[in-house]
Amino acid sequence: RKPETMLLRKARLKHGIMLKASYVIGDKSSDVIMAKKAGAKGILVQTGHDSESEQADFIAKNLTEAVDWILKDSKIMEVEPP
């Protein structure tokens, strides 16, 4: 169960996902906590359960705003790798 990262770790192994270069979008603070524990960036979408999270990398009003932020952030990462 969230915020544990077992499912993300299984997906990483099965699909070769780089979690440190990944994003988790969720509507609960536990989704953001799970992202952080896995090394991913966490985005809270305000269309669900929670509207605030101190740990979120970004808080979006809706899914479209979250995707727009990811696209901008990923372009920054291409220019300036971590």
Side-chain angles (χ1 to χ4, degrees), residues 1 7 11 22 24 29 32 34 38 44-46 65 68 72:
R1 293 188 62 130
L7 292 176
S22 298
V24 174
S29 294
V32 173
M34 178 185 63
L44 180 70
V45 178
Q46 294 179 319
E65 189 174 276
D68 288 343
K72 289 177 189 173

Side-chain angles (χ1 to χ4, degrees), residues 6-54:
M6 183 178 63
L7 292 176
L8 289 177
R9 289 183 282 130
K10 284 183 177 182
R12 179 191 70 201
L13 293 173
K14 184 175 182 179
H15 301 289
I17 297 169
M18 293 176 36
L19 292 174
K20 289 187 179 197
S22 298
Y23 300 83
V24 174
I25 300 173
D27 65 349
K28 295 180 184 176
S29 294
S30 61
D31 299 322
V32 173
I33 293 167
M34 178 185 63
K36 294 300 192 178
K37 283 185 174 183
K41 291 189 177 181
I43 300 168
L44 180 70
V45 178
Q46 294 179 319
T47 57
H49 294 86
D50 297 333
S51 61
E52 295 293 326
S53 171
E54 291 182 14

